[in-house]
Amino acid sequence: MITLRNHISTASETAVGDAAMNSWGAADREGHNMSTTKRTCTRCGTPLSRYTQGEICGPCITAARLAPKPPEIQLPVEFWFSDPISRALARWDWSTLLVAVHNHTKATQSAIASQTGMSQGSISRLMAGRSGGQTIETALKIVDGLGAPRTLAGLTPKGLSHLSEDRGDQGSQGTGTANHVNRREFSTKLVLAGLTIPLIGRSASTSGADVDIVTGLDRPADAVADLYALDAKHGGAALVELAEARLSSLLAQLRQVTLKPSDEPFVYSVVGQVTTAAAWFAYERGDLDRAENLLKDGLYAAHCASDVGLRLQVLNILAMVSRSLNHPAKAVAAAQGAIDAGSRADPQLRALLSMRLSLGHARLRDAHAYERFKGEAWDLLGMSTGQTDPSEWFRFFGEEEMHGLEAIGQTFLGRHAEAADLLEDTTASMPPRNRAYYRLTHAEALARSGNGKHAIDVFHENLPLLTQMTSARITDKVRDFAGTLRTVPGDDAFQTRRIALSLIGEPPHA
């Protein structure tokens, strides 16, 4: 009996235990499933597997492991603008430069070598002055590896480097010193191969016969869309020769064939677009006379093509060129002519033209006309539904640009505090070139309205972007800003003015 009772008791306890275990397991599974549903990766928000330990998913862990590590040597951009460093960069005096980097950061030769992609022995020889290092490869490794602004070393900004051609390694057999190394300008000679436009399709017909157009372009503006995209990022000063080479290519092809009458408007529009782009880039380089002459050719092409949009584009730029030539009355006439010709144009384009007209009147110190046409511009912009696929040259325009143009008008009228207020928070989503330009305008307006400290802060925030620009308009604006700092007291203003002038290659006392 005892044995049976024990057996029954044991069996009963076992059954109860099994039931309890099953109940616990079900609860655990339910709880585990519930926790799986709730647990997500703290980085990407993806639900975590029940087998994942920790709070980060596997892909995020892998991505973090493979991500490039931040550079060991990090220097503020202002470091490169100090007198000895900027001179060393300009002369490719790597000994002075690398020793200064070592003294400032305490970085070892091995760390410098690792960050520049060079051997420790090469860094040692350069620091000791036993190697000239006067090759483009060495310059790029040091400048890019350490984060120095390329423009201070006479090199094209990274985004435009594919347009530059290495002139060779003159002086690469250095004497161990950098005393006779001149500043190298690699942005003046452009690689043109493969960048012309295959406009005309050659046929097997006899000379002088009609041929078909085989452009591959959906619209004439696409012929220079890539150049306008580069201009929006870096400015157009380095793109003039490239645009004119495309223009020469088109004209050379056209001299060899006879076009079908039905093709002529499209071809004239393409020629007009390339001519107008060349004019804009000449304006960006500061060659205003060349820009004005090219714009006249652009107007003729627009007339031959009966292309109203191209005509308005040309007159828009002509208004800007005339204003820069200090001919505000001509700027007003150009903008007014565009408005008259474009009465049926897209309201957004007419808003830009009205704003150009407003600025012309502001330059003439006519505040009433400025306010009138500025109001019309905002009304037109409000009527616009936005172009679904604007040409590349027009992608810059929107509400932020309107605020920027309005601020420029205020500065023409001497209302610098109002201009500064308009630009306080309106540049964030602008294209890089316009963002750099309007931040300079903001800094200048702040300085002229008596807020020198804020002006200096805005300039230094903008400095890394300025080092990537190739634009005479931005150069002029930097010079104007430096001039306003003459009246701002303190060492910060003095040093900022020196940096600004160094940025555009002018002596500190200018």
Side-chain angles (χ1 to χ4, degrees):
M1 293 295 293
I2 295 177
T3 302
L4 179 61
R5 191 185 307 115
N6 287 344
H7 174 76
I8 293 173
S9 176
T10 302
S12 175
E13 289 171 356
T14 300
V16 172
D18 287 344
M21 289 294 291
N22 289 336
S23 175
W24 178 87
D28 177 62
R29 286 193 298 273
E30 183 182 358
H32 190 80
N33 289 336
M34 291 176 61
S35 65
T36 301
T37 303
K38 292 182 178 180
R39 292 179 65 231
T40 57
C41 175
T42 56
R43 292 190 179 180
C44 68
T46 301
L48 294 175
S49 164
R50 62 183 294 180
Y51 304 106
T52 301
Q53 297 180 353
E55 302 298 325
I56 302 174
C57 67
C60 284
I61 293 173
T62 301
R65 186 173 65 250
L66 298 178
K69 296 180 180 179
E72 181 179 342
I73 303 169
Q74 299 188 58
L75 292 154
V77 69
E78 288 81 5
F79 169 83
W80 306 107
F81 286 91
S82 63
D83 283 340
I85 302 303
S86 61
R87 284 198 301 268
L89 277 168
R91 298 172 66 85
W92 289 11
D93 180 0
W94 307 129
S95 176
T96 298
L97 181 74
L98 294 173
V99 168
V101 169
H102 165 72
N103 291 337
H104 189 84
T105 64
K106 307 305 179 187
T108 64
Q109 291 181 359
S110 296
I112 296 174
S114 174
Q115 194 153 316
T116 57
M118 303 173 69
S119 68
Q120 189 271 333
S122 296
I123 295 297
S124 176
R125 288 190 295 273
L126 286 170
M127 291 180 72
R130 296 196 302 271
S131 174
Q134 303 305 307
T135 67
I136 182 65
E137 291 81 3
T138 298
L140 289 173
K141 285 181 177 180
I142 293 174
V143 170
D144 290 348
L146 296 176
R150 280 191 174 193
T151 50
L152 293 186
L155 302 171
T156 302
K158 279 187 178 181
L160 297 175
S161 58
H162 63 292
L163 302 180
S164 302
E165 181 176 72
D166 188 351
R167 292 182 180 177
D169 295 336
Q170 301 99 322
S172 61
Q173 303 301 320
T175 61
T177 67
N179 294 335
H180 303 292
V181 178
N182 295 322
R183 180 185 177 94
R184 286 155 166 74
E185 297 290 349
F186 285 92
S187 60
T188 57
K189 192 173 182 182
L190 299 175
V191 180
L192 303 176
L195 295 175
T196 55
I197 301 172
L199 178 66
I200 305 302
R202 301 300 179 88
S203 71
S205 60
T206 59
S207 176
D210 290 349
V211 295
D212 292 327
I213 304 301
V214 204
T215 62
L217 301 175
D218 292 329
R219 54 187 178 179
D222 292 344
V224 283
D226 60 327
L227 300 186
Y228 279 122
L230 288 171
D231 169 58
K233 291 180 180 178
H234 300 285
L239 301 172
V240 182
E241 288 86 355
L242 186 52
E244 294 209 22
R246 289 190 180 183
L247 180 60
S248 297
S249 170
L250 291 179
L251 297 179
Q253 292 176 71
L254 288 171
R255 285 192 291 268
Q256 299 175 25
V257 296
T258 301
L259 297 173
K260 291 180 179 180
S262 59
D263 288 334
E264 288 183 358
F266 183 88
V267 173
Y268 272 117
S269 289
V270 172
V271 172
Q273 286 289 344
V274 179
T275 303
T276 303
W280 171 255
F281 301 142
Y283 172 62
E284 276 283 274
R285 193 167 66 180
D287 191 349
L288 302 182
D289 291 335
R290 177 60 177 160
E292 196 170 36
N293 290 331
L294 284 167
L295 288 171
K296 293 175 182 176
D297 294 340
L299 278 177
Y300 176 74
H303 170 74
C304 293
S306 299
D307 189 336
V308 176
L310 176 59
R311 176 180 174 82
L312 300 185
Q313 182 182 349
V314 172
L315 290 174
N316 168 63
I317 300 173
L318 187 60
M320 297 180 69
V321 172
S322 297
R323 200 175 72 233
S324 296
L325 286 168
N326 202 26
H327 298 153
K330 289 180 65 176
V332 167
Q336 186 64 62
I339 291 173
D340 293 342
S343 59
R344 297 182 180 179
D346 179 82
Q348 193 171 5
L349 178 55
R350 289 164 57 204
L352 173 61
L353 297 171
S354 292
M355 208 61 208
R356 297 285 184 226
L357 182 57
S358 175
L359 294 185
H361 284 294
R363 194 65 180 265
L364 290 168
R365 311 291 290 185
D366 186 344
H368 176 73
Y370 161 75
E371 294 292 346
R372 173 193 165 192
F373 290 108
K374 180 190 74 174
E376 289 185 8
W378 278 108
D379 289 343
L380 286 165
L381 190 64
M383 294 166 53
S384 172
T385 57
Q387 298 185 28
T388 56
D389 187 20
S391 297
E392 194 67 42
W393 79 269
F394 195 57
R395 291 184 185 277
F396 74 96
F397 189 66
E399 286 192 14
E400 284 194 337
E401 182 69 19
M402 281 283 285
H403 283 300
L405 294 172
E406 184 178 345
I408 289 175
Q410 297 285 12
T411 63
F412 288 161
L413 295 170
R415 304 170 182 171
H416 301 293
E418 290 87 341
D421 289 342
L422 281 167
L423 292 171
E424 187 64 43
D425 296 305
T426 60
T427 61
S429 62
M430 286 183 176
R433 183 209 54 219
N434 285 15
R435 187 162 70 247
Y437 180 82
Y438 283 117
R439 284 181 178 175
L440 278 170
T441 303
H442 185 203
E444 182 185 357
L446 286 166
R448 290 188 184 278
S449 59
N451 197 342
K453 184 179 184 305
H454 192 184
I456 291 170
D457 290 341
V458 170
F459 175 79
H460 283 276
E461 291 170 3
N462 198 27
L463 187 55
L465 187 60
L466 292 174
T467 65
Q468 300 298 315
M469 296 297 120
T470 63
S471 167
R473 291 191 300 145
I474 289 178
T475 296
D476 291 343
K477 188 61 69 174
V478 170
R479 187 181 297 109
D480 291 343
F481 171 70
T484 65
L485 294 181
R486 286 182 178 274
T487 60
V488 178
D491 187 62
D492 284 349
F494 175 81
Q495 294 298 336
T496 301
R497 182 172 182 275
R498 181 187 59 74
I499 289 173
L501 292 172
S502 176
L503 178 67
I504 59 176
E506 295 187 3
H509 57 274

